Every structure is written in C-alpha cells, then in structure tokens.
Amino acid sequence: MRHALLLACALGLTLAAQAADYGGPLFDAHLHYNGEAWQGGSAPHPVSDVIERLRRNGVRGALSNSRPNDGTRTLAASREVRAAGVTVVPFVRLYRNRDDYTNWFRDPTIYEMVEAELARGTAAGPYRGLGEFHLYDSANADGAIARRLMVLAEERDLVVLAHVDDVAIDKLMAHTPSKGQKLRLIWAHTGIGGAPVERVDQLFARYPQLMGELSYRPGLTCDGGKLCPPWRQLVLKYPGRFMIGSDTWVNQRWLYYDELMKGYRTWLGDLPEDVARRIAWDNAATLFKLQTP
C-alpha cells in the first residue's frame, strides 16, 4: 500500500512537471503596430496599453513593423517601452497604405521609401530588417523591386520577414548574391498556406539562415495545445531555427494577446527546457544580438 502510494505521488509529480508552462522570457518576432491601433484621439491601443500587454506576458523583446512605419518609430521612441525593459527591434515595412500590399513588388517608390527609412533610422537605433511583406502569388517574387530588395537586404545585412509560400522562398533566395546561403530570412507563419513539414525541412536544409515564425501555422498543435508529433520532431531537429510571434495585424489580435502568449507557453513547456528557451528567446537574441533579460 505504501509502495503504491509513493508510486502514485511520484507519477503525479512527473505529470505536473510535464504539464508546467514555460516560464522564461518571450520574444515576439511578428508584432505590428499599425495606424488603426494608435492614431487618433480615441485610439484603442496606445503605447501604454501595448506595453502592459507585453509586460504581463513576459515579452521582453519584439520585432516591430507597421503600416505606415510611424507606428514602429513611435514604439522605438517611447520612454514607457524602455522603462518596461522591452527591447524594440525595428523593421521597415513596405506598406504606406493597404494598396501597397498587392503592388509593392513592382513599385519603384517602395524602394525609394525603404532607402529613406533606412537612412532615417529610429530612436532605438537603425532598422534591423525589411518586412513583413506579402506575396499572394509566388510569381511576383520575380518582380523588379522584390529582386532589388533581396540584394539590398543581403548586402546591408538586414533580416527579411516574408509572408510567402514555399515556392516564393526559393525565388527570393535565388535573387540574393549568395543564392540564399547568407540571407537571414524569417518565414512568417512558416508558410501560412500549410506547406508540409517535409517541405519545411527541405528548405531549412537548403538555406542555413532561414528561420520559421510560428503564428497562424496550420497543423502546429494538437490535443492539449501541445505540438503535433511531426512539428515536435521538426522543432527538435532544428531548435535554433524557430521563433514565436503574435501577428497583431488587426486590432482584434491585441485583444487576444494574452491567450496567444499563453498558448505558446503551453507547448513550449512540453519541450526540453533548453529547446523551449531557444525558441522563446535565445534564437531571436542571437539573431539580433540582444542581451539576456
């Protein structure tokens, strides 16, 4: 009886340990602070609101990009951000307005805008990357501006955040001087269209600097909010190649920010501690040379 009781207690402790959420710092690798979130007298998400959401979820750093870029510069200049101990990593987004989503890859004024923003910089320092940008048709990865921006990114050591399919990944990489061997590209959603795990594995093997951001990723989690077996296997194979993100592309996503981060902490907690820490924070810290909180 005593032996059975001890065994039951040990099993209970083991299960509790397995179920514990990841408790370390998070880096949000896909944060938008678009105009509708903060502009105007009745803006629903001023900087103070954003910082409180980051703070209570243990988010100590964020890749910020916005439409237009004023939002990112606003976050970067905020004393509240610095006081909260949050590091803003600013990216130049290619969109001044919604029309740019479907036309940026052929519009010479987009390239001019990017150059002007890079020269301007932010209160948090220089821009660290380009994006997020979308290619709803992978053929548009061959557009003149897309080609020029891939060369610019690699030559200036800028990270790219791209919302594209797997075909466009190959096309974008082909436009770089190194043919994708040196370009640091974050694949938004690791293919929101649901590229098979085998295809993601193939691209990771082909391009050593390709990283996957996991918001909105179809098929990522299964019962209990844990990683589905194929994704768990891939994450364990490439622990240094994944990051998490919120993708606050519309204001509604800010309302679910707590839930999004809780979901990440759930499945991160089911991974080996060192792997969880890398995906949650260390991979971004290495990529952007951040200090450990």
Side-chain angles (χ1 to χ4, degrees):
M1 181 69 177
R2 177 180 173 81
H3 176 73
L5 182 60
L6 290 173
L7 182 62
C9 290
L11 179 61
L13 289 173
T14 299
L15 292 174
Q18 291 175 342
D21 288 354
Y22 167 77
L26 300 177
F27 183 94
D28 186 340
H30 193 152
L31 183 146
H32 297 295
Y33 196 41
N34 292 329
E36 58 266 28
W38 65 276
Q39 290 177 333
S42 58
H45 301 291
V47 171
S48 58
D49 175 81
V50 170
I51 293 306
E52 174 55 24
R53 293 176 192 275
L54 300 183
R55 185 202 60 75
R56 69 176 178 245
N57 285 286
V59 177
R60 301 297 301 275
L63 185 166
S64 176
N65 69 112
S66 60
R67 169 189 39 78
N69 287 294
D70 306 61
T72 290
R73 289 196 302 272
T74 297
L75 277 184
S78 171
R79 293 180 180 178
E80 293 172 277
V81 172
R82 292 191 294 274
V86 175
T87 299
V88 172
V89 177
F91 271 42
V92 179
R93 200 165 194 203
L94 308 189
Y95 308 149
R96 301 156 298 190
N97 51 57
R98 291 191 179 277
D99 291 340
D100 288 335
Y101 281 58
T102 56
N103 196 52
W104 68 268
F105 43 84
R106 63 169 69 92
D107 184 350
T109 66
I110 294 295
Y111 192 88
E112 295 168 5
M113 181 269 287
V114 168
E115 287 192 310
E117 285 291 340
L118 290 174
R120 178 178 185 174
T122 77
Y127 284 103
R128 308 294 296 278
L130 306 179
E132 180 199 21
F133 61 75
H134 300 71
L135 287 170
Y136 300 110
D137 181 346
S138 58
N140 291 326
D142 293 328
I145 304 307
R147 289 172 176 268
R148 291 181 67 189
L149 286 174
M150 292 306 99
V151 173
L152 176 72
E154 185 168 294
E155 289 181 343
R156 299 201 188 182
D157 199 26
L158 298 168
V159 182
V160 172
L161 176 62
H163 176 134
V164 300
D165 65 13
D166 58 302
V167 174
I169 290 290
D170 278 327
K171 287 179 173 290
L172 293 172
M173 293 298 196
H175 299 323
T176 67
S178 71
K179 303 304 179 186
Q181 296 307 293
K182 295 182 180 179
L183 181 71
R184 299 178 299 162
L185 191 151
I186 301 171
W187 193 4
H189 321 298
T190 318
I192 196 168
V197 168
E198 295 78 12
R199 175 62 169 152
V200 177
D201 190 351
Q202 180 187 63
L203 290 171
F204 273 26
R206 182 176 300 165
Y207 305 115
Q209 303 299 322
L210 177 64
M211 302 189 74
E213 182 271 319
L214 293 170
S215 64
Y216 276 117
R217 210 322 166 161
L220 182 67
T221 57
C222 289
D223 293 344
K226 306 298 176 61
L227 289 177
C228 295
W231 276 98
R232 180 183 175 87
Q233 183 177 355
L234 189 67
V235 163
L236 293 176
K237 182 176 181 179
Y238 296 105
R241 305 285 287 277
F242 288 102
M243 295 184 288
I244 63 167
S246 62
D247 193 9
T248 48
W249 68 284
V250 291
N251 285 345
Q252 185 182 34
R253 291 284 283 185
W254 284 114
L255 301 180
Y256 293 101
Y257 198 87
D258 295 357
E259 182 180 331
L260 293 169
M261 295 302 117
K262 174 64 168 64
Y264 284 129
R265 288 190 180 278
T266 295
W267 63 253
L268 286 168
D270 194 47
L271 293 172
E273 184 177 352
D274 62 324
V275 175
R277 171 78 186 208
R278 293 180 75 175
I279 296 168
W281 177 266
D282 288 349
N283 291 339
T286 299
L287 185 64
F288 299 117
K289 297 180 174 59
L290 308 181
Q291 293 184 346
T292 299

